Amino acid sequence: MTTASTPYPPDPHAPHNDLPGRIMAREMAEQPAVLRRILSQGAPAVRKVAQEIAARAPRFVLLTARGTSDNAALYAKYLLEIRLGLPCGLTSMSTTTAYGARPDLTDVLVVTVSQSGGSPDLVASTRAAREAGAITLAVTNNPDSPLAAVSEYHLDIMAGPERALPATKTYTASLLTLYLFAEGLRGGDGAPARVLPGLAEQLLARQDEVRALAARYRFAERMVITSRGYGYPTAREAALKLMETSYIPALAYSGADLLHGPLAMVDNVSPVIAVVTDGKGGEALQPVLDRLRGRGADLVVIGPRHQVEQASAGFVLPTDEAAEEVQPILEILPLQLLAYEVTIARGQDPDAPRALAKVTETR
């Protein structure tokens, strides 16, 4: 039996406020306001930190995170390498926390991204990095967290308390904060981000379109999500949201990696969602889209209109109004809604995924 979803945006005083998913729905609806708050109140602090770090001329960057924050860190890797030409790597914390490795990190910028700032392995690895000579920056939703305390610099993503277990507003807040930080390192003003709050409001108002898409996936046994370039972190985050809320196995691949073997599992039954960023990433994904169509895949595109019109179904993004590097902040919004709607359609509560806790204490 299908459970009714919470009307969107939710009214906390309405009779439906005890329905499943009400917390996640409310927090998704807060995202335009969070983006505005970062741009109006947080941007000066981000710029100041970026200028101080730029003056120290880090030789390369290491990004440390887990879960949703790991996908935000991957977005930062694309930004820093493409926009600044600064080599970046994603760390394996166990080399420090489990194996006790102590590499020389003199003049290396170590950026640790964490919603809560409370996971012991993140704190321990950041402390070890600072002791090894790194410039350490924490990007969190909690300025009073242990991670912020052990880091030399801190950026507050200003998302406000997040109660739903699936992270939504802290993800987009992390992306915007990291974008402004990368722009600050290069002396930019982050002007392309100014369109985001208004566009986010428009996208989140299109829940009926997403609900229609969700009907395709109510009984899905598996999903494949693919993208390239700036959109690849979006594919990974969308897969994570679907798995942790609806429990559908969702496999995220770079389009290039999909062609190296996993394409063999694609058929006309299991849906494929392609996140098509309008720009060089979307151009690089085009051969993959052609191969998927050739295999008769149930292909759904999240992206520009001309790409959606060539797919089985999709959701059109206002890409003409947003630069390629900020489109991931918009791309994830219909996919958050999709995870929410699929979960509701399957009779489950997206606010309370089984076996999960808000702060994951890995060591």
Side-chain angles (χ1 to χ4, degrees), residues 73-282:
L74 180 59
Y75 168 69
K77 183 178 189 294
Y78 277 92
L79 283 173
L80 294 168
E81 291 189 340
I82 295 169
R83 307 278 290 171
L84 284 85
L86 197 57
C88 298
L90 300 174
T91 63
S92 299
M93 279 171 279
S94 61
T95 61
T96 298
T97 60
Y99 291 92
R102 292 296 183 266
D104 180 4
L105 298 179
T106 304
D107 298 327
V108 174
L109 173 60
V110 173
V111 181
T112 306
V113 187
S114 171
Q115 300 154 43
S116 68
S119 185
D121 58 348
L122 293 169
V123 175
S125 63
T126 301
R127 182 186 293 111
R130 190 169 182 180
E131 292 170 352
I135 306 163
T136 52
L137 168 65
V139 181
T140 82
N141 197 37
N142 184 1
D144 299 320
S145 64
L147 179 60
V150 302
S151 300
E152 187 176 356
Y153 297 98
H154 176 259
L155 294 178
D156 183 359
I157 66 172
M158 305 182 74
E162 188 172 59
R163 293 179 53 220
L165 287 177
T168 54
K169 64 179 181 174
T170 52
Y171 180 68
T172 50
S174 296
L175 295 191
L176 179 53
T177 302
L178 289 163
Y179 169 75
L180 293 174
F181 173 69
E183 285 297 286
L185 287 177
R186 64 192 292 269
D189 62 2
R194 294 171 190 164
V195 301
L196 295 174
L199 294 177
E201 282 183 335
Q202 295 173 27
L203 292 175
L204 290 169
R206 293 164 58 189
Q207 191 186 20
D208 287 346
E209 293 180 50
V210 178
R211 190 173 294 125
L213 280 179
R216 302 169 67 94
Y217 304 134
R218 181 182 174 192
F219 300 109
E221 296 182 0
R222 181 185 68 209
M223 292 189 195
V224 174
I225 307 176
T226 188
S227 189
R228 289 202 70 179
Y230 286 114
Y232 178 45
T234 306
R236 292 185 15 158
E237 175 61 12
L240 177 60
K241 283 292 153 288
L242 284 161
M243 287 189 288
E244 70 183 352
T245 56
S246 68
Y247 317 140
I248 297 173
L251 309 172
Y253 293 100
S254 157
D257 289 333
L258 185 62
L259 296 183
H260 285 266
L263 184 67
M265 70 178 174
V266 174
D267 53 30
N268 61 359
V269 177
S270 298
V272 178
I273 299 175
V275 181
V276 186
T277 305
D278 195 6
K280 293 184 184 299

Side-chain angles (χ1 to χ4, degrees), residues 293 301 304-313 316:
R293 293 187 187 102
V301 166
R305 182 174 298 279
H306 70 276
Q307 292 286 2
V308 172
E309 290 173 346
Q310 298 178 54
S312 304
V316 176

Side-chain angles (χ1 to χ4, degrees), residues 298-331:
D298 178 10
L299 178 63
V300 171
V301 166
I302 309 297
R305 182 174 298 279
H306 70 276
Q307 292 286 2
V308 172
E309 290 173 346
Q310 298 178 54
S312 304
F315 186 97
V316 176
L317 293 175
T319 54
D320 290 345
E321 302 173 60
E324 181 178 7
E325 60 269 20
V326 299
Q327 287 176 37
I329 301 170
L330 302 174
E331 290 166 349

